[in-house]
Amino acid sequence: MSGAFALPVFPDSTFEVYRIIEFEGPFRDPEHLIPSATPDAIKTTRTYSDPRFFDQAEHKLIMAFHGIVVRTEKSVILVDACLGNDKHRPMVSEWHMRSGPFLNDLSGVGFTTDDITHVLCTHLHADHVGWNTRLIDGQWVPTFPNATYLFGREEMAFWEQDPDANHKSWQDSVQPVLDAGLAEIVDSHHEIEPGVSLLPAFGHSPGHVMVKLEANTQGKTQTAYVIGDVIHHPVQVEHPEWSSQFCWNADLASAMRQTVLETIADNGSWLIPAHFPTPTAVRVESGHDGFWIKD
Ligand SMILES: [Zn+2]
């Protein structure tokens, strides 16, 4: 499944938030992504019996890859650039040499590549930088020529030491942006404009950042967090201590997950992770048996 639609997070406000989907569906055995989610352990979760999040017939997590577009009065900000087309990723068949309709879907909700003013990669894993660039006449060029690409200082410092990591995505999706002079290296605390700020969320990767959005809506301040891979899958809402095998520092990742859940639970804040399937934007409540998604 692909496509694009508005998320219902800021009704009657100057902010609009859209989800541009590259892929959604059953993706991996739970244990493949999260080693603690063994066949016995996953059966004890609420996730297991929620068909939005788990496919029992295939015994697979339902996951998505999508970018989030935030339109404010001043800016059009793409948070996370997903997989991209034509990228050589032979280790992951779903990522390899894609030819998906992401840019058509983006224009379907009203944005051309020229309209994007900022691109923010929460971190530099291959599934978050893909659309930074596209292949034109055999060259990787920035997809969004008018954008400032914001990269976190700590994240850049770590991966520039190892440009062959992350399926070599640095070479086709980060270096061309640097070469074009479109990159701005920012601190992990950084305000893009009032109501749109980066916050440090280290753990899944060494310099992972998330975006806090605040806007006045229907007479009160509404908050949403676009959190990248702080939480990969809804099963980690009920088990924040379960880190993915792709987390750089599992203990730090799980502590960050817990902190974010405590920050947003029970107060109406929206959570918008990079891989949650539909409905993607969720609110969380806490109870005697931990956190879960509010219906
Ligand atoms: Zn990811």
Side-chain angles (χ1 to χ4, degrees):
M1 173 184 142
S2 60
F5 57 87
L7 295 173
V9 293
F10 291 109
D12 305 322
S13 123
T14 52
F15 283 15
E16 296 167 11
V17 182
Y18 298 87
R19 176 183 177 224
I20 321 298
I21 307 166
E22 269 196 303
F23 171 88
E24 176 166 331
F27 188 64
R28 286 288 181 270
D29 289 355
E31 221 171 347
H32 173 88
L33 181 69
I34 301 165
S36 299
T38 61
D40 284 342
I42 192 79
K43 283 189 180 131
T44 68
T45 64
R46 297 199 220 197
T47 299
Y48 185 74
S49 51
D50 192 324
R52 297 174 299 175
F53 305 140
F54 195 78
D55 184 323
Q56 288 192 12
E58 294 199 40
H59 195 76
K60 284 188 172 22
L61 301 172
I62 298 173
M63 295 187 67
F65 295 86
H66 50 243
I68 300 296
V69 174
V70 181
R71 189 219 291 265
T72 73
E73 284 178 306
K74 294 203 296 198
S75 310
V76 181
I77 304 158
L78 171 64
V79 183
D80 281 333
C82 322
L83 300 167
N85 279 355
D86 304 307
K87 303 269 154 129
H88 190 74
R89 309 281 186 256
M91 303 290 284
V92 185
S93 61
E94 295 92 338
W95 298 4
H96 184 54
M97 304 302 284
R98 293 178 58 83
S99 56
F102 185 86
L103 295 180
N104 281 342
D105 291 339
L106 185 68
S107 68
V109 287
F111 304 107
T112 69
T113 52
D114 286 348
D115 292 336
I116 303 295
T117 61
H118 299 79
V119 179
L120 180 268
C121 302
T122 57
H123 62 298
L124 297 182
H125 286 170
D127 57 320
H128 295 258
V129 299
W131 280 107
N132 283 358
T133 58
R134 57 177 163 170
L135 195 58
I136 306 255
D137 298 332
Q139 303 282 332
W140 293 110
V141 299
T143 306
F144 308 104
N146 300 323
T148 300
Y149 288 68
L150 305 175
F151 295 118
R153 189 178 309 285
E154 291 86 351
E155 189 74 0
M156 288 293 278
F158 185 86
W159 296 114
E160 71 185 353
Q161 307 297 325
D162 191 6
D164 286 344
N166 298 325
H167 309 263
K168 301 190 179 183
S169 56
W170 178 283
Q171 298 169 24
D172 56 40
S173 304
V174 178
Q175 190 64 49
V177 174
L178 300 174
D179 293 344
L182 296 183
E184 182 182 345
I185 312 300
V186 295
D187 292 334
S188 52
H189 284 277
H190 177 78
E191 184 180 80
I192 297 176
E193 64 179 78
V196 185
S197 299
L198 307 189
L199 294 171
F202 303 170
H204 174 63
S205 73
H208 192 296
V209 294
M210 60 184 178
V211 185
K212 182 179 184 182
L213 304 172
E214 278 181 306
N216 211 299
T217 172
Q218 297 174 331
K220 58 181 173 45
T221 301
Q222 177 71 55
T223 306
Y225 291 84
V226 187
I227 62 163
D229 285 2
V230 172
I231 307 176
H232 278 92
H233 189 271
V235 76
Q236 294 168 299
V237 173
E238 51 182 323
H239 281 290
E241 75 282 11
W242 285 2
S243 282
S244 92
Q245 67 144 319
F246 304 106
C247 286
W248 163 71
N249 182 322
D251 290 342
L252 202 55
S254 117
M256 180 53 61
R257 210 170 292 118
Q258 183 77 28
T259 300
V260 167
L261 287 165
E262 285 169 6
T263 302
I264 62 99
D266 303 318
N267 61 20
S269 296
W270 290 95
L271 197 62
I272 309 174
H275 300 300
F276 273 29
T278 307
T280 301
V282 298
R283 285 178 280 199
V284 168
E285 53 192 3
S286 62
H288 64 278
D289 54 352
F291 298 109
W292 188 234
I293 289 163
K294 188 172 182 288
D295 285 313

